[in-house]
């Protein structure tokens, strides 16, 4: 208690700086904070500034040099991040996907991720998956509609704002149903081999995509489990 009571204001500032250092590093290691995000650079810069301020009371040249360099690197990193983000552009279709499916993805990660995808205009009858065969692309339906067939029988319709082939992609198994474009549609197509290679190098994006697909599946299941029109007609007749 006596040590705390005798602590000067600059001592306290120095401890705050150490706390910011430790918080930033712990947050980085636990995945709470990204190394390419603004928060990490700000926490490191403020931490170094606080420690530097405390050294006005007890001057240590080597520590002063270290903190000055650390502040300089933090400022450089933040400026570089701002410059890179300011140059990144997204098409209306890409932005619609990000807003709906992955809103918390950083702009840099989002640009890299979407570079793997193609925006395709699909005509009615275009087959997106074939039952019993491996899928070639993970699809996100931007607009339009797709129809799901199992054993040649229509079982569901998929509306815009949903993934197609997500469960099959995550499990690495053949498609459980065939999916065709039902009316003129636009969709994002992620070629599976290229997507897997990208995600192996970008674990944070992989986790976010898996979460996005899982959230989307929960929303999609009530619609896709409804009886097909022919089945509803038969049930009504009964």
């Amino acid at each position: 208690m006596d040590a705390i009571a005798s602590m000067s204001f600059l001592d306290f500032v120095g401890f705050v700086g150490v706390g910011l250092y430790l918080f930033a590093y712990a947050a980085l290691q636990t995945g709470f904070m990204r190394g390419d995000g603004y928060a990490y650079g700000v926490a490191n810069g403020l931490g170094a500034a606080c420690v530097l301020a405390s050294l006005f009371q007890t001057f240590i040249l080597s520590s002063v040099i270290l903190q000055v360099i650390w502040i300089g690197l933090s400022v450089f990193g933040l400026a570089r991040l701002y410059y890179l983000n300011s140059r990144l552009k997204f098409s209306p279709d890409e932005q619609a996907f990000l807003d709906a499916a992955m809103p918390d993805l950083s702009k840099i990660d989002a640009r890299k991720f979407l570079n793997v995808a193609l925006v395709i205009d699909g005509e009615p009858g275009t087959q997106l998956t074939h039952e019993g065969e491996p899928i070639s692309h993970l699809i996100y339906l931007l607009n339009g509609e797709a129809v799901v067939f199992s054993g040649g029988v229509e079982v569901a319709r998929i509306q815009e704002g949903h993934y197609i082939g997500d469960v099959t992609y995550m499990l690495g198994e053949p498609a459980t149903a065939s999916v065709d474009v039902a009316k003129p549609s636009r969709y994002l197509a992620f070629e599976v081999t290229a997507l897997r290679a990208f995600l192996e190098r970008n674990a944070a994006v992989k986790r976010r995509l898996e979460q996005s697909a899982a959230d989307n599946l929960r929303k999609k299941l009530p619609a896709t489990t409804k009886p097909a029109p022919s089945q509803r007609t038969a049930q009504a007749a009964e």
Side-chain angles (χ1 to χ4, degrees):
M1 293 297 294
D2 291 339
I4 296 176
S6 63
M7 183 187 302
S8 70
F9 174 73
L10 289 180
D11 286 332
F12 175 76
V13 170
F15 279 113
V16 170
V18 172
L20 286 169
Y21 271 139
L22 294 176
F23 168 75
Y25 186 68
L28 178 68
Q29 295 303 315
T30 57
F32 180 73
M33 191 179 288
R34 298 190 311 273
D36 62 349
Y38 287 108
Y40 184 71
V42 169
N44 272 282
L46 287 177
C50 288
V51 173
L52 179 62
S54 72
L55 293 172
F56 282 102
Q57 178 173 269
T58 306
F59 185 83
I60 303 174
L61 180 60
S62 59
S63 186
V64 168
I65 293 173
L66 174 62
Q67 304 314 315
V68 169
I69 293 175
W70 207 263
I71 292 171
L73 290 173
S74 297
V75 171
F76 171 78
L78 290 169
R80 176 178 176 275
L81 185 60
Y82 175 79
Y83 173 75
L84 291 175
N85 280 328
S86 67
R87 291 174 57 85
L88 294 176
K89 305 297 180 184
F90 300 95
S91 71
D93 290 325
E94 291 174 332
Q95 193 61 58
F97 164 73
L98 293 173
D99 291 342
M102 304 180 78
D104 57 349
L105 199 61
S106 73
K107 290 184 70 173
I108 293 176
D109 283 343
R111 182 67 272 161
K112 292 177 182 177
F113 178 52
L114 288 170
N115 284 343
V116 184
L118 293 174
V119 178
I120 298 176
D121 291 311
E123 295 300 320
T126 301
Q127 190 168 71
L128 303 177
T129 69
H130 186 79
E131 187 173 0
E133 295 183 4
I135 64 168
S136 60
H137 293 79
L138 173 65
I139 304 293
Y140 183 87
L141 197 61
L142 292 164
N143 58 59
E145 185 180 59
V147 58
V148 183
F149 296 97
S150 180
V153 178
E154 179 183 337
V155 295
R157 297 242 167 183
I158 299 176
Q159 306 299 322
E160 62 185 56
H162 291 294
Y163 290 100
I164 296 171
D166 44 336
V167 175
T168 301
Y169 168 78
M170 288 189 289
L171 295 178
E173 297 178 352
T176 57
S178 295
V179 180
D180 294 352
V181 174
K183 60 183 181 182
S185 304
R186 175 169 288 193
Y187 53 89
L188 282 172
F190 297 85
E191 199 278 323
V192 168
T193 301
L195 179 59
R196 291 192 190 281
F198 170 79
L199 295 178
E200 285 301 314
R201 302 189 302 270
N202 296 270
V205 181
K206 181 179 181 180
R207 289 192 298 270
R208 187 63 194 90
L209 176 59
E210 290 172 348
Q211 183 61 53
S212 174
D215 292 342
N216 191 268
L217 180 61
R218 283 192 289 270
K219 298 175 183 177
K220 185 170 62 175
L221 277 177
T224 57
T225 53
K226 291 179 181 178
S230 59
Q231 294 173 312
R232 291 198 294 267
T233 301
Q235 290 173 353
E238 293 173 356

